[in-house]
């Protein structure tokens, strides 16, 4: 991995990079209604709502940190957004769909694969 930072949770840098455990999806929040004549009217309330898929391998110490994040009601996230000139965007998010899998058993607790999504809380 190069030295570029793609993702931080509460100031902890996560070992991810594009195509290797980091995927950013942007969606819009809209409301579509039909008029009496059958014409659809779309009202967009929010655009570019982030959802981040995360997957990486870690040791037992980092695994303990990840478990702390999943039980928090929210976490402060800084993430790479290519539309922001390479700067990290900031958002309040929560951890959803957390899973962990042991890849190797070692004397110091093993090597683990952690997967989860970071979802936007909608604070604007």
């Amino acid at each position: 991995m190069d030295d570029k930072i793609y993702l931080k949770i509460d100031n902890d840098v996560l070992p991810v990079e594009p195509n290797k455990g980091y995927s950013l999806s942007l969606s819009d929040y809209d409301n579509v209604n039909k008029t009496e004549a059958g014409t659809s009217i779309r009202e967009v309330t929010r655009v570019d709502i982030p959802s981040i898929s995360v997957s990486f391998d870690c040791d037992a110490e980092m695994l303990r940190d990840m478990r702390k994040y999943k039980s928090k009601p929210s976490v402060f996230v800084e993430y790479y957004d290519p539309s922001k000139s390479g700067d990290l965007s900031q958002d309040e998010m929560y951890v959803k769909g957390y899973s962990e899998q042991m890849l190797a058993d070692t004397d110091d607790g093993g090597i683990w694969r952690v997967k989860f999504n970071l979802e936007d809380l909608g604070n604007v």
Side-chain angles (χ1 to χ4, degrees):
M1 184 168 94
D2 59 16
D3 291 338
K4 186 170 182 69
I5 295 173
Y6 291 94
L7 184 62
K8 290 181 179 181
I9 297 179
D10 290 345
N11 289 317
D12 289 334
V13 177
L14 300 188
V16 298
E17 58 185 288
N19 298 322
K20 293 183 183 176
Y22 176 86
S23 175
L24 172 65
S25 299
L26 300 172
S27 61
D28 299 335
Y29 182 80
D30 59 13
N31 188 12
V32 179
N33 293 307
K34 288 199 180 236
T35 66
E36 188 175 310
T39 304
S40 293
I41 299 173
R42 179 177 180 231
E43 178 185 5
V44 178
T45 308
R46 286 185 65 206
V47 296
D48 295 341
I49 302 166
S51 176
I52 303 169
S53 296
V54 180
S55 173
F56 60 90
D57 300 344
C58 64
D59 60 16
E61 181 180 349
M62 185 171 229
L63 181 71
R64 285 188 288 277
D65 290 339
M66 294 302 104
R67 285 181 177 173
K68 286 189 300 189
Y69 294 136
K70 77 179 185 73
S71 60
K72 286 181 148 187
S74 68
V75 291
F76 180 73
V77 177
E78 294 178 80
Y79 62 95
Y80 175 73
D81 182 351
S83 68
K84 307 282 177 152
S85 304
D87 292 335
L88 295 179
S89 294
Q90 301 175 354
D91 202 348
E92 187 176 9
M93 304 178 104
Y94 66 97
V95 174
K96 180 179 178 182
Y98 178 90
S99 69
E100 54 191 45
Q101 175 187 6
M102 181 180 251
L103 302 176
D105 189 10
T106 63
D107 291 338
D108 58 351
I111 303 297
W112 295 83
R113 174 158 298 141
V114 177
K115 294 181 183 180
F116 56 90
N117 289 333
L118 292 165
E119 302 293 338
D120 180 73
L121 276 173
N123 297 335
V124 288

